[in-house]
Each structure stands twice: as C-alpha cells, then as structure tokens.
Amino acid sequence: MIKDQHKAYLSIGSNLGDSLATARSAVDYLNASPEIEVIGVSSFYRTSPMGRTEQPDFINAAAKIITSLSPELLLSQCKHIELRLGRTPSDEIWS
C-alpha cells in the first residue's frame, strides 16, 4: 500500500509503431513504479488525429492511479516512461 496517497487520472496515447503494445507498456511501467499503483484502466480506443491530421491514428486510454508523488514528480516519472518507450521530446506546438 502506498503512503500519503493521491488519486490521479492519466491519459495514455500512442500513434507510432505498435501503438496498442506501447500504450499497454506505459501502463505496465506506471504500475512497476514503487510510488504508483494503477487501480483502473479504461478500454483502449482508436482515434483520428486532430490538428496535424497527416499522421497515423492514435490508440488512447485513461488510467486511474494512486501515488505518493507530487504532481511535479509524477510528471517527471511520466516523461521518463515516455523516453523509455522511445518518444523523442519536441518543442513543436500544433494547432
């Protein structure tokens, strides 16, 4: 059981490579963190891109977690998971 629990909801999405496997791996990595427990995951949905539409469809889901991490540390952990799954950071803003 995680001490000083906070509930949070995270959106999970991928549209490159095996998107479903990547999204599932993201959930697994979250749950493998000692400070995070995944307590629920929505269904996985295929959605069309918005903004820059000349890219593959996305696989999206939502995860309900409990964590002892602050919002800043949770974001840092999520960014670390993204890097482990091959996401390259970008400063690009789309509209």
Side-chain angles (χ1 to χ4, degrees), residues 53-64:
T53 57
E54 66 288 342
Q55 58 181 322
D57 286 351
F58 284 83
I59 296 295
N60 291 301
K64 180 179 179 181

Side-chain angles (χ1 to χ4, degrees), residues 23-54:
R24 287 182 171 152
S25 291
V27 172
D28 291 342
Y29 280 131
L30 285 167
N31 213 30
S33 172
E35 304 91 357
I36 299 170
E37 181 181 352
V38 177
I39 57 176
V41 178
S42 71
S43 297
F44 291 86
Y45 295 93
R46 179 173 303 278
T47 58
S48 298
M50 298 181 70
R52 291 187 344 208
T53 57
E54 66 288 342

Side-chain angles (χ1 to χ4, degrees), residues 50-84:
M50 298 181 70
R52 291 187 344 208
T53 57
E54 66 288 342
Q55 58 181 322
D57 286 351
F58 284 83
I59 296 295
N60 291 301
K64 180 179 179 181
I65 66 167
I66 53 174
T67 182
S68 60
L69 297 174
S70 68
E72 295 83 8
L73 289 176
L74 178 58
L75 176 61
S76 178
Q77 181 68 10
C78 289
K79 294 290 186 182
H80 177 74
I81 290 169
E82 286 182 332
L83 290 174
R84 287 184 75 180

